[in-house]
């Protein structure tokens, strides 16, 4: 029995070394940040927002402040702490689940104000300081809406939006 464990351990070390080599070789430089660490952290932290709060604030700061917004993040309503932060920044944002939709008026808030639905999804942490996210928005009519893929850059605890590329309209 002990010989099998030693063989399995050697094979595991060899496999881990191969995976790390395949991850490092294409970059041609030392890369201390490992993408699989970020994915494991996301799985373990179920009570956390799927997208960091400062990244959400930066994404919503892209010219939408005049609109009422129905917000959905990774398929769920934003957490109350994030909504409170957005409201303190004078944003007119409500959770998507509180909005209604009709073909004639599109999305509307519980108060009856016309709103734009904003969806933030497919958050991918590329490194310690870079991430990508897909955003889409829709007024709720049969036709209308657009989607982007945005790069985000982290400086300290704050995220800022880099380049955004339109994916569909």
């Amino acid at each position: 029995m002990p010989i099998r464990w030693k063989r399995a351990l050697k094979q595991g070390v060899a496999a881990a070394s191969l995976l790390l080599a395949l991850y490092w070789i294409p970059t041609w430089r030392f890369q201390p940040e490992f993408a699989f660490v970020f994915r494991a952290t996301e799985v373990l932290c179920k009570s956390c927002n799927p997208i960091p709060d400062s990244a959400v604030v930066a994404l919503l700061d892209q010219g939408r402040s005049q609109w009422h917004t129905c917000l959905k993040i990774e398929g769920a309503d934003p957490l109350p702490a994030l909504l409170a932060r957005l409201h303190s920044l004078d944003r007119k944002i409500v959770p998507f689940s509180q909005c209604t939709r009709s073909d004639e008026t599109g999305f509307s808030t519980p108060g009856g104000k016309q709103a734009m639905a904003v969806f933030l999804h497919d958050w991918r942490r590329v490194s310690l300081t870079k991430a990508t996210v897909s955003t889409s928005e829709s007024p709720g009519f049969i036709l209308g809406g657009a989607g982007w893929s945005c790069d985000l850059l982290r400086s300290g605890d704050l995220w800022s939006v880099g380049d955004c590329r339109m994916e569909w309209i």
Side-chain angles (χ1 to χ4, degrees), residues 23-93:
Y23 183 75
W24 276 330
I25 288 171
T27 63
W28 295 104
R29 65 180 174 83
F30 178 72
Q31 192 161 349
E33 55 267 13
F34 299 103
F36 63 86
V37 174
F38 300 122
R39 290 186 190 96
T41 304
E42 292 168 2
V43 169
L44 293 174
C45 189
K46 291 294 185 191
S47 63
C48 300
N49 280 325
I51 301 175
D53 290 357
S54 62
V56 173
V57 170
L59 287 163
L60 292 177
D61 221 14
Q62 300 290 306
R64 294 186 186 98
S65 60
Q66 75 277 7
W67 285 88
H68 288 273
T69 303
C70 302
L71 181 61
K72 190 178 233 184
I73 301 174
E74 295 288 0
D77 286 342
L79 295 176
L82 176 58
L83 281 174
R85 180 175 178 187
L86 291 168
H87 289 155
S88 72
L89 297 172
D90 197 29
R91 300 290 184 261
K92 305 167 195 149
I93 295 176

Side-chain angles (χ1 to χ4, degrees), residues 59 64 118-121 133-137 146-150 168:
L59 287 163
R64 294 186 186 98
V118 175
F119 307 96
L120 305 178
H121 51 94
V133 68
S134 295
T135 67
S136 48
E137 61 182 33
W148 292 270
S149 177
C150 294
W168 58 271

Side-chain angles (χ1 to χ4, degrees), residues 6-26:
K6 287 181 183 179
R7 186 180 304 144
L9 180 63
K10 285 180 184 178
Q11 289 174 347
V13 169
S17 299
L18 179 63
L19 286 174
L20 288 175
L22 290 174
Y23 183 75
W24 276 330
I25 288 171

